[in-house]
């Protein structure tokens, strides 16, 4: 119930921020090629198509399972939790520009200025693409589902596998997914780390730099934590810790409390991710020196 209350507070804050943005500053980001060569435009278009396909695939699998069971599955609750956290994305640039999206992609203006205390870059010059921003968190399933499958296979082979070893296996699987997926987004120019700590970054100083600390945090938030929630709910008698106690509620209140609880933990986890992305570069980060015009 505590997590359900947290989820309710986050949803209320989200509604307030997004309503402020919708009333005052909401608009489509101006279209244009922003200096992209024909080849880079083809790459960007291909990435946008892949992003749309990734979102649709990520949504369809848990939704189909819920339809078949005629109830919200834990995977669907995780999906809803992370989808609802999209409004926190501008926090990564809360004080200065740490990350950037391609201006070539279809998107809206940023709603950062609608978040109290905002003193980051001008939102009018920074887009939030639809399928790399608004709906991108649906793709958490690309980290979560492989983690769930690996944990399930390990539990079937070794039922007495300890909690710490399960957590280590979950992190390793999520990190493997992160190492496969993150470079695609960065190297195609859909999303980049504008500022990073050079000593902890691959290809430091270039527009395609990859902070290792960001990949570790992403593995924790996108794969390990939601993967363990799903695994414990599916394979342990007491279920996932965040959902324990919902059985004591009335049948009408139970699904609402469970969904709000998962939303609460998902939004807290994603807030921790964007805050870490924003704060770590303040400890010695340096900006990339060769940012293309569409990523500035």
């Amino acid at each position: 119930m505590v997590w359900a209350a947290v989820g309710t507070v986050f949803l209320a804050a989200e509604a307030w921020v997004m309503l402020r943005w919708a009333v005052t500053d909401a608009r489509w980001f101006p279209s244009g090629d922003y200096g992209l060569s024909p080849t880079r435009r083809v790459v960007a278009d291909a990435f946008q198509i892949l992003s749309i396909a990734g979102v649709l695939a990520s949504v369809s699998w848990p939704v189909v399972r819920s339809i078949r069971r005629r109830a919200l599955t834990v995977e669907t609750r995780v999906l809803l939790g992370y989808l609802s956290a999209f409004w926190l994305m501008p926090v990564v640039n809360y004080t200065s520009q740490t990350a950037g999206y391609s201006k070539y992609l279809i998107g809206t203006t940023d709603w950062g200025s609608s978040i109290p205390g905002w003193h980051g870059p001008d939102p009018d010059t920074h887009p939030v693409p639809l399928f790399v921003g608004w709906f991108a968190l649906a793709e958490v399933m690309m980290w979560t589902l492989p983690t769930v499958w690996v944990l399930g296979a390990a539990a079937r082979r070794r039922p007495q596998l300890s909690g710490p070893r399960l957590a280590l296996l979950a992190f390793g699987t999520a990190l493997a997914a992160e190492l496969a997926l993150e470079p695609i987004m960065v190297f195609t120019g859909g999303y980049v780390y504008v500022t990073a700590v050079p000593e902890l970054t691959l290809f430091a100083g270039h527009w395609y730099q990859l902070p290792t600390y960001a990949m570790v945090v992403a593995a924790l938030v996108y794969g390990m934590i939601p993967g363990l929630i799903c695994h414990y709910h599916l394979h342990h008698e007491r279920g996932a810790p965040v959902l324990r106690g919902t059985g004591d509620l009335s049948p009408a209140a139970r699904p609402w409390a469970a969904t709000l609880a998962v939303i609460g933990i998902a939004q807290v986890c994603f807030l921790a991710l964007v805050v870490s992305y924003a704060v770590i570069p303040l400890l010695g980060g340096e900006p990339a020196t060769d940012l293309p015009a569409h990523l500035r």
Side-chain angles (χ1 to χ4, degrees):
M1 292 306 297
V2 172
W3 278 114
V6 170
T8 302
V9 170
F10 268 88
L11 289 177
E14 177 176 357
W16 181 70
V17 168
M18 297 309 295
L19 182 61
R20 287 185 66 191
W21 176 75
V23 170
T24 58
D25 298 316
R27 53 190 173 277
W28 292 104
F29 197 82
S31 60
D33 57 28
Y34 295 95
L36 280 171
S37 67
T39 301
R40 295 301 300 178
R41 288 201 295 272
V42 170
V43 172
D45 288 334
F47 172 71
Q48 188 155 242
I49 292 171
L50 285 174
S51 298
I52 295 171
V55 169
L56 294 177
S58 298
V59 169
S60 62
W61 193 85
V63 168
V64 168
R65 281 175 60 86
S66 290
I67 292 173
R68 287 177 178 174
R69 297 189 180 190
R70 298 183 179 181
L72 286 180
T73 63
V74 65
E75 297 92 347
T76 304
R77 289 192 169 100
V78 166
L79 172 67
L80 291 173
Y82 278 88
L83 264 176
S84 69
F86 79 95
W87 71 286
L88 294 166
M89 284 188 172
V91 174
V92 72
N93 294 324
Y94 191 76
T95 58
S96 59
Q97 188 179 9
T98 300
Y101 297 106
S102 174
K103 298 176 182 178
Y104 177 75
L105 304 176
I106 300 172
T108 65
T109 53
D110 199 329
W111 51 87
S113 60
S114 297
I115 300 175
W118 175 266
H119 46 287
D122 183 358
D124 285 339
T125 64
H126 290 78
V128 181
L130 292 186
F131 297 98
V132 193
W134 280 83
F135 306 117
L137 288 179
E139 295 179 1
V140 70
M141 291 289 111
M142 294 185 178
W143 285 258
T144 300
L145 294 180
T147 304
V148 172
W149 294 335
V150 169
L151 291 178
R156 287 191 294 271
R157 292 185 179 183
R158 300 184 62 182
Q160 303 305 317
L161 200 62
S162 66
R165 290 185 177 181
L166 273 175
L168 185 61
L169 181 59
F171 174 73
T173 306
L175 185 59
E178 168 67 12
L179 292 173
L181 295 169
E182 184 81 4
I184 295 174
M185 180 175 289
V186 172
F187 292 160
T188 55
Y191 171 93
V192 295
Y193 297 91
V194 175
T195 306
V197 180
E199 295 79 8
L200 302 174
T201 302
L202 302 175
F203 315 112
H206 297 286
W207 65 266
Y208 47 85
Q209 59 188 353
L210 285 167
T212 54
Y213 54 84
M215 290 190 282
V216 170
V217 174
L220 288 169
V221 171
Y222 294 150
M224 178 181 168
I225 293 173
L228 287 172
I229 289 174
C230 294
H231 175 77
Y232 274 94
H233 186 75
L234 295 170
H235 296 281
H236 287 252
E237 184 178 352
R238 295 185 63 196
V242 69
L243 296 177
R244 288 174 191 167
T246 53
D248 299 330
L249 302 174
S250 67
R254 195 176 303 152
W256 290 99
T259 301
L260 286 170
V262 175
I263 287 174
I265 198 168
Q267 294 225 17
V268 166
C269 287
F270 187 67
L271 178 61
L273 180 144
V274 291
V275 168
S276 69
Y277 282 14
V279 170
I280 293 176
L282 297 178
L283 307 177
E286 296 181 7
T289 57
D290 57 357
L291 280 176
H294 72 109
L295 293 171
R296 291 174 190 164

